[in-house]
Amino acid sequence: MSKAANENIALKTTIEQWKERNDAARIKVARAALSLASSDTMVLEAVKDLQSICQRKPYNNALVRSVGILPLLVQCLEYKDKDVRCAVLELLLQLMEDDNDSKEMIVEIISIPTIIQMLSSSHQSIRHASLVFLLEISRSQGLCEKIGSVNGAILMLITMKYRQSYDAFASEKADETLRNLEHSPNNIKRMAENGLVEPLLKNLTEGCEEMKIEMASYLGEIVLGHDSKTYVAEVASPTLIKMVHSGNTLARSAAFKTLVQLSSYQPNANILIEAGIVQIMVEEMFIRKIHDEPMNSKSEAAAILANILESGLELENLQVNSHGHTMTSDYVVYNIVYMLNNSTPDELNNNLIRILLFLAKIPKPEATIVSLVKETEASYTLIELINNPHEELSIAAIKLLTVLSPHMGHILVERLCKIRGQPENLLIQSSTETTLITEKQAVSAKFLAKLPHENLTLNLALLYSNTVPAILQAISQIQRRGTRSSRFESAYLEGLVGILVRFTTTLYEPQMLFLAKTQNFTTVFTELLMKTSSDEVQRLSATGLENLSSESINLSKPQQIKRQKFMKLFYYLPEYISFGSSRRRIQLCPVHRGVCSSQNTFCIVDAKAVEKLLVCLENRNPEVVEAALSAISTLLDDKVDVDKSVSMLSEVNAVQHVLNAVKVHKQDGLRQKSFWVLEKFLNKGGDKSASDISNDRVLPAILVSAFHHGAGNTRQMAEKILRQLNKMPNPYT
């Protein structure tokens, strides 16, 4: 080697040594500048100088990390100047290189939540720099969990991923980062919770058995959005159903839990049915047995089936097995009732009852259910479940009993009254103005209202338990605060009024008669006619008034005046009674021909209920109109003074109200009652009523239609009125 070459090597070595000493000095200067941080400009220059030092020689990265500069750089991330923060992030990326140890060292010092916050910066440069930084540290599997565990991190990344049109660079980097984060199963779960379910579904459908179980468990735990539920059902249901059919207890448990959640979203029903879930669930409930399995698969299978049945799809002809049995066949009903009679878990009983509630809406299985409940212990089982502490189960049992009551009401009453604390416990509640009505209170009241009204045993049981004052108090409170304070308030009010109506059907019993008088039922029902927005309450109130008014003629008697010792005679005047020098005047009811009052004789004239009943004839609900007509018709019965009643009704324009009702409603029963009332006015109402009826231009067409198409009694009434109006000839004799 020549002397010149040796000199060159020495020179180069000297230069490199000088550069290294210079780099070390520059690093010390930069460190001092960062420590002082007297201005943003000074900090930015120091950071950029460190960048150039690290770019010149990779070894300098380690040197910078070793002299305590990292904590100073982390502090700089809190600066408001965007250029400083961007430069710091770029420098930190340089310091990490591709070395996982350096990444972990920096992540130990830096605040990942701070980096996540920077993703929402209004400055694009900061957003991009923080994204690139996150992407780099996400390449280390050990740091993936740390990133995903920061609140909001995955949500922010998912949001940026789907905003490609807004920021394509950010969308790309966020997507890459999320793919890296998928190395952590917990992150996959977090992604699903925040709307990105594809990673989870991919692992569920393509992963190993252990991974499938873990992913299915996650699906069962997280709360999915509606859109995600449908997508998950489409992709995952075949895999989940296979897992249910397997013998692996862990796989079955995870799959069942997820299928329960997916089936609870009603739009998924058809997807699950097409995947064959109904047949599998029926098999689980009725046939399959896995011994020593710690989970209650029958209960979850019943929950899934109940969810699907409640979706509103037409499922009567849906096949449940290879033997041709359908959802409504006796095979299904018998097995469910058998399980109900023999099962003990509350959750299973609740789901079985939900299935029966669906089947009870269909005539064929309904008849089978009624027959089985009558013949087996199921009626006792259902009634005992009313007192079950599991409120959801108790509510389901009461709902099913309510559905069955029209078919076997007296049997249910008999068995209900044998249960200690019943029926009064169905109405027990804390009575305060601020108490919200629960679903159980509403369905309980409805159940008692739907049981046969004429059942004296139940009516006396309710009377003896002193429930009526509590009912009246509850009605009053609801009227004061309105039915919108609770979503069950309206149903509860309807139930309470229905219970009051039942007492009016057994007024032949002295205690019931005394109750109706002392509690002034006539006024209660009259006020309810107008103080409610519920059609059912109006209908029930009109029915109650009809029942009460039917008794008025029996209760309204002429006043008996005791003779005074100094009087030798007394006499009645046409519209009042007078006697003695005081000429005491006692008004007689023109309709019932005796002394009447709303409280003691239930006179709806005295209660001023007639005008309110006529207003009800304008209701769009035909059931309300028919009930109001029935109540008004009690004033036209042959037992009362029909002439006076017609005269009184004419004064309040009753004919026009009835004509309006018959034009709006076509129901046969309603028309029959309307025609009956109109016929009374034609016979007893004089020229004005006859003129109002005969001059109505629409009525003849209605009568002709009823004559041609109406049922027997309606047809006869229409024919009768047509003859009176000279619209058809009298029969030839």
Side-chain angles (χ1 to χ4, degrees):
M1 186 178 294
S2 66
K3 182 178 180 182
N6 287 333
E7 288 177 353
N8 286 337
I9 292 171
L11 178 61
K12 286 181 179 180
T13 302
T14 302
I15 291 171
E16 286 300 319
Q17 289 175 347
W18 178 84
K19 285 182 177 180
E20 287 178 5
R21 288 194 301 272
N22 186 47
D23 285 347
R26 287 169 65 190
I27 290 171
K28 288 181 181 179
V29 170
R31 184 180 183 281
L34 291 174
S35 299
L36 291 173
S38 59
S39 69
D40 292 346
T41 303
M42 177 186 288
V43 171
L44 184 60
E45 289 178 355
V47 171
K48 286 186 174 181
D49 195 32
L50 288 171
Q51 285 178 336
S52 66
I53 293 169
C54 292
Q55 284 172 353
R56 195 184 70 78
K57 191 172 184 181
Y59 170 77
N60 287 338
N61 288 340
L63 184 61
V64 170
R65 291 195 298 266
S66 66
V67 296
I69 285 181
L70 289 178
L72 298 174
L73 290 174
V74 170
Q75 290 177 8
C76 293
L77 289 176
E78 304 295 334
Y79 275 50
K80 291 183 178 180
D81 189 287
K82 65 181 179 65
D83 294 329
V84 170
R85 283 184 283 173
C86 288
V88 169
L89 285 172
E90 290 169 1
L91 177 57
L92 289 172
L93 278 171
Q94 284 181 265
L95 294 174
M96 287 190 294
E97 297 178 334
D98 291 325
D99 177 29
N100 285 335
D101 290 338
S102 63
K103 288 178 186 177
E104 292 182 7
M105 177 192 299
I106 290 173
V107 170
E108 283 296 320
I109 299 172
I110 202 169
S111 169
I112 293 182
T114 299
I115 304 298
I116 301 300
Q117 284 181 329
M118 292 168 72
L119 293 177
S120 59
S121 171
S122 59
H123 301 291
Q124 186 183 72
S125 57
I126 294 177
R127 291 199 306 272
H128 288 183
S130 57
L131 263 174
V132 172
F133 182 86
L134 276 178
L135 175 60
E136 185 59 37
I137 64 175
S138 72
R139 301 187 197 282
S140 171
Q141 290 190 22
L143 297 176
C144 286
E145 177 64 28
K146 199 162 189 177
I147 297 170
S149 64
V150 176
N151 288 337
I154 286 178
L155 175 59
M156 288 291 298
L157 289 168
I158 291 173
T159 303
M160 298 178 88
K161 167 185 166 70
Y162 287 119
R163 298 179 69 185
Q164 186 174 10
S165 60
Y166 174 73
D167 191 334
F169 177 85
S171 174
E172 179 186 350
K173 297 305 177 187
D175 184 48
E176 290 181 45
T177 305
L178 287 166
R179 291 183 188 279
N180 292 336
L181 296 182
E182 288 178 27
H183 290 110
S184 163
N186 284 332
N187 283 343
I188 294 175
K189 179 184 177 183
R190 294 180 184 113
M191 291 176 196
E193 287 174 330
N194 288 285
L196 182 62
V197 295
E198 285 82 2
L200 190 152
L201 294 177
K202 182 180 178 182
N203 283 278
L204 174 66
T205 55
E206 301 176 9
C208 63
E209 184 178 29
E210 184 179 349
M211 179 61 74
K212 287 181 178 180
I213 292 171
E214 188 171 13
M215 294 299 105
S217 297
Y218 285 160
L219 271 180
E221 292 172 9
I222 63 179
V223 178
L224 296 168
H226 291 334
D227 293 341
S228 295
K229 283 181 182 177
T230 300
Y231 179 65
V232 169
E234 290 172 345
V235 176
S237 53
T239 300
L240 293 168
I241 290 171
K242 286 179 183 177
M243 291 172 69
V244 164
H245 214 45
S246 74
N248 187 315
T249 298
L250 290 176
R252 280 166 52 78
S253 177
F256 265 122
K257 192 172 183 181
T258 301
L259 287 169
V260 168
Q261 183 187 164
L262 292 177
S263 64
S264 66
Y265 183 54
Q266 293 186 353
N268 284 345
N270 205 44
I271 298 169
L272 296 171
I273 290 169
E274 290 178 359
I277 197 170
V278 172
Q279 293 81 356
I280 299 297
M281 294 305 110
V282 169
E283 180 184 331
E284 287 286 337
M285 290 171 62
F286 301 157
I287 299 173
R288 194 173 190 189
K289 293 182 180 179
I290 299 180
H291 298 290
D292 301 323
E293 189 174 63
M295 59 178 288
N296 189 1
S297 61
K298 291 187 184 299
S299 178
E300 291 180 314
I304 292 166
L305 189 56
N307 288 342
I308 291 172
L309 293 177
E310 290 171 353
S311 68
L313 296 175
E314 297 290 334
L315 303 175
E316 292 90 329
N317 299 319
L318 181 65
Q319 286 204 343
V320 298
N321 58 26
S322 59
H323 301 293
H325 292 131
T326 65
M327 197 64 241
T328 56
S329 65
D330 289 351
Y331 166 78
V332 173
V333 178
Y334 273 84
N335 274 287
I336 291 176
V337 174
Y338 174 81
M339 291 175 69
L340 184 63
N341 284 332
N342 293 278
S343 64
T344 52
D346 287 345
E347 188 177 353
L348 176 56
N349 279 336
N350 179 55
N351 293 323
L352 292 174
I353 292 172
R354 288 172 61 202
I355 296 172
L356 288 176
L357 274 168
F358 165 79
L359 296 174
K361 297 174 184 176
I362 305 165
K364 182 180 177 295
E366 180 193 45
T368 307
I369 294 169
V370 171
S371 176
L372 285 174
V373 172
K374 281 182 180 179
E375 296 168 4
T376 66
E377 296 296 308
S379 60
Y380 288 106
T381 301
L382 289 169
I383 288 172
E384 287 171 358
L385 288 175
I386 291 174
N387 294 327
N388 193 287
H390 188 288
E391 187 161 303
E392 188 177 353
L393 172 57
S394 174
I395 290 170
I398 296 170
K399 285 181 177 178
L400 182 56
L401 288 168
T402 304
V403 171
L404 297 176
S405 61
H407 309 283
M408 50 183 296
H410 293 289
I411 294 174
L412 295 179
V413 168
E414 177 192 347
R415 295 175 184 178
L416 177 68
C417 291
K418 288 180 180 177
I419 302 293
R420 186 175 181 181
Q422 295 296 2
E424 59 271 18
N425 282 354
L426 284 166
L427 286 173
I428 287 178
Q429 62 160 337
S430 55
S431 182
T432 66
E433 290 286 351
T434 57
T435 303
L436 287 179
I437 302 304
T438 65
E439 184 179 9
K440 184 172 182 180
Q441 288 173 333
V443 297
S444 297
K446 279 278 192 180
F447 174 48
L448 288 176
K450 293 293 183 182
L451 287 169
H453 284 189
E454 300 82 6
N455 191 292
L456 185 60
T457 302
L458 178 57
N459 292 354
L460 287 172
L462 291 169
L463 185 145
Y464 293 151
S465 56
N466 202 32
T467 57
V468 175
I471 290 172
L472 292 172
Q473 182 184 15
I475 290 174
S476 177
Q477 289 173 352
I478 292 172
Q479 286 179 319
R480 282 198 295 272
R481 66 190 179 194
T483 55
R484 294 184 181 179
S485 58
S486 165
R487 63 193 182 103
F488 303 113
E489 202 105 347
S490 182
Y492 185 53
L493 177 62
E494 290 168 5
L496 295 177
V497 177
I499 295 170
L500 289 184
V501 171
R502 65 180 309 115
F503 294 114
T504 67
T505 64
T506 50
L507 293 173
Y508 59 83
E509 166 62 41
Q511 295 177 83
M512 296 295 165
L513 186 63
F514 180 76
L515 171 71
K517 288 182 178 181
T518 54
Q519 298 296 341
N520 202 354
F521 275 12
T522 314
T523 299
V524 170
F525 288 129
T526 301
E527 291 178 351
L528 281 167
L529 281 175
M530 293 293 104
K531 290 185 178 180
T532 181
S533 59
S534 165
D535 286 351
E536 180 64 6
V537 170
Q538 279 197 329
R539 185 191 70 80
L540 289 167
S541 300
T543 301
L545 288 172
E546 177 194 0
N547 296 338
L548 292 168
S549 182
S550 296
E551 288 295 314
S552 295
I553 192 65
N554 300 322
L555 299 173
S556 179
K557 302 294 183 184
Q559 176 84 359
Q560 299 297 317
I561 308 297
K562 291 185 179 180
R563 294 178 180 271
Q564 310 237 354
K565 289 182 181 179
F566 57 85
M567 291 181 62
K568 292 186 178 180
L569 57 87
F570 65 90
Y571 54 90
Y572 290 101
L573 293 178
E575 292 296 330
Y576 57 86
I577 301 170
S578 66
F579 62 91
S581 57
S582 62
R583 294 188 60 81
R584 180 182 174 192
R585 180 172 294 186
I586 300 174
Q587 199 76 28
L588 297 182
C589 176
V591 176
H592 300 111
R593 307 188 188 96
V595 178
C596 272
S597 72
S598 61
Q599 181 165 2
N600 293 320
T601 66
F602 314 136
C603 179
I604 62 175
V605 178
D606 184 71
K608 299 195 174 10
V610 176
E611 294 86 345
K612 296 179 175 63
L613 288 167
L614 289 173
V615 172
C616 290
L617 296 186
E618 306 299 326
N619 197 297
R620 291 290 174 181
N621 188 326
E623 293 183 353
V624 175
V625 176
E626 187 170 349
L629 274 172
S630 297
I632 292 168
S633 296
T634 60
L635 300 178
L636 299 171
D637 188 86
D638 291 338
K639 295 178 182 178
V640 304
D641 191 327
V642 179
D643 292 327
K644 294 286 181 64
S645 186
V646 166
S647 176
M648 180 270 296
L649 289 170
S650 295
E651 291 176 4
V652 290
N653 204 22
V655 169
Q656 195 57 53
H657 283 288
V658 176
L659 287 171
N660 291 341
V662 84
K663 292 172 188 175
V664 173
H665 303 287
K666 299 179 180 179
Q667 289 73 17
D668 201 76
L670 191 153
R671 282 193 165 178
Q672 181 185 327
K673 285 186 171 63
S674 300
F675 294 163
W676 185 85
V677 172
L678 292 174
E679 199 263 339
K680 289 286 184 181
F681 275 91
L682 282 171
N683 291 332
K684 301 285 187 176
D687 293 339
K688 184 179 186 308
S689 295
S691 174
D692 290 342
I693 296 170
S694 61
N695 289 332
D696 190 279
R697 299 179 63 185
V698 180
L699 181 62
I702 295 171
L703 292 167
V704 169
S705 175
F707 178 68
H708 287 310
H709 307 293
N713 289 336
T714 306
R715 184 178 184 280
Q716 290 174 9
M717 290 300 306
E719 180 182 1
K720 200 171 183 180
I721 297 175
L722 284 169
R723 294 190 192 284
Q724 288 178 285
L725 296 176
N726 294 320
K727 298 296 182 180
M728 64 185 298
N730 290 319
Y732 180 76
T733 58

